[in-house]
Amino acid sequence: VLYNTSAHLEEINNFLIARGYERPNIEEARLKLHHHGYSFERHLELLGEPLATIESTAAEIANFAFDGQRHIFPGVVNGLQKLRAEGITLHLLTFGLPKYQQGKWIGLQALHPYFDQTYFVHQGDSKGQILARETSSDQQIFFIDDSPAWLLD
């Protein structure tokens, strides 16, 4: 867990509230998309944003939402530096629409040097299955996630 997703989502909520959307509707639309793949465009569509403005509004959200440096938890970079100094190989694995997840990752430039491999997965295998496939059986793996359900299998 490297990134304060709650702060990231709250910024998006505040932007949408300023555009006249109500918080309960924003949250309901986000929850509908959670397991089907979130994107700003899909969120705006569920909220009833006019089709003519979805693309430009989504781009406006991306301009601030994908600047993720300010949402990296304190101590994360220092911790990653220490792990790398110990020779530990690090992989980043995240679920969601690859375009959206890659956008967030691009905005986290400070973390890029510490990861040997990144995976952006929308559907299919569990994180455990992906790691089992992508790593050798003789490797010791320590896995951290903010949602234990994604680790199954």
Side-chain angles (χ1 to χ4, degrees):
V1 182
L2 311 169
Y3 179 78
N4 188 341
T5 303
S6 295
H8 168 84
L9 295 176
E10 189 58 25
E11 282 185 352
I12 296 167
N13 286 351
N14 291 337
F15 174 87
L16 293 170
I17 289 167
R19 287 187 61 84
Y21 296 106
E22 295 181 10
R23 184 176 295 274
N25 297 337
I26 295 167
E27 295 295 333
E28 181 182 342
R30 181 180 295 113
L31 287 174
K32 283 182 182 177
L33 294 171
H34 182 69
H35 290 289
H36 301 290
Y38 179 87
S39 73
F40 300 134
E41 293 86 357
R42 287 177 167 187
H43 197 170
L44 290 164
E45 184 178 342
L46 282 179
L47 288 171
E49 180 80 15
L51 291 176
T53 60
I54 286 177
E55 190 173 320
S56 62
T57 304
E60 192 175 345
I61 295 170
N63 282 335
F64 70 82
F66 286 154
D67 178 14
Q69 300 295 114
R70 66 190 176 284
H71 297 308
I72 297 171
F73 284 117
V76 164
V77 173
N78 187 36
L80 292 172
Q81 288 170 339
K82 288 178 181 179
L83 291 170
R84 292 302 277 180
E86 293 290 325
I88 295 174
T89 301
L90 300 173
H91 297 250
L92 176 83
L93 174 58
T94 186
F95 276 169
L97 287 178
K99 177 184 171 187
Y100 178 75
Q101 296 300 331
Q102 289 166 347
K104 284 194 328 189
W105 180 240
I106 288 168
L108 296 169
Q109 294 289 324
L111 303 181
H112 290 199
Y114 305 105
F115 289 90
D116 300 285
Q117 189 71 36
T118 55
Y119 307 93
F120 306 99
V121 181
H122 175 52
Q123 294 177 333
D125 296 339
S126 70
K127 289 181 178 181
Q129 290 168 323
I130 293 166
L131 283 174
R133 183 178 60 242
E134 299 293 332
T135 59
S136 67
S137 60
D138 64 338
Q139 287 179 294
Q140 185 176 12
I141 297 174
F142 180 72
F143 195 82
I144 301 171
D145 199 285
D146 61 349
S147 179
W150 291 120
L151 302 177
L152 297 176
D153 212 23

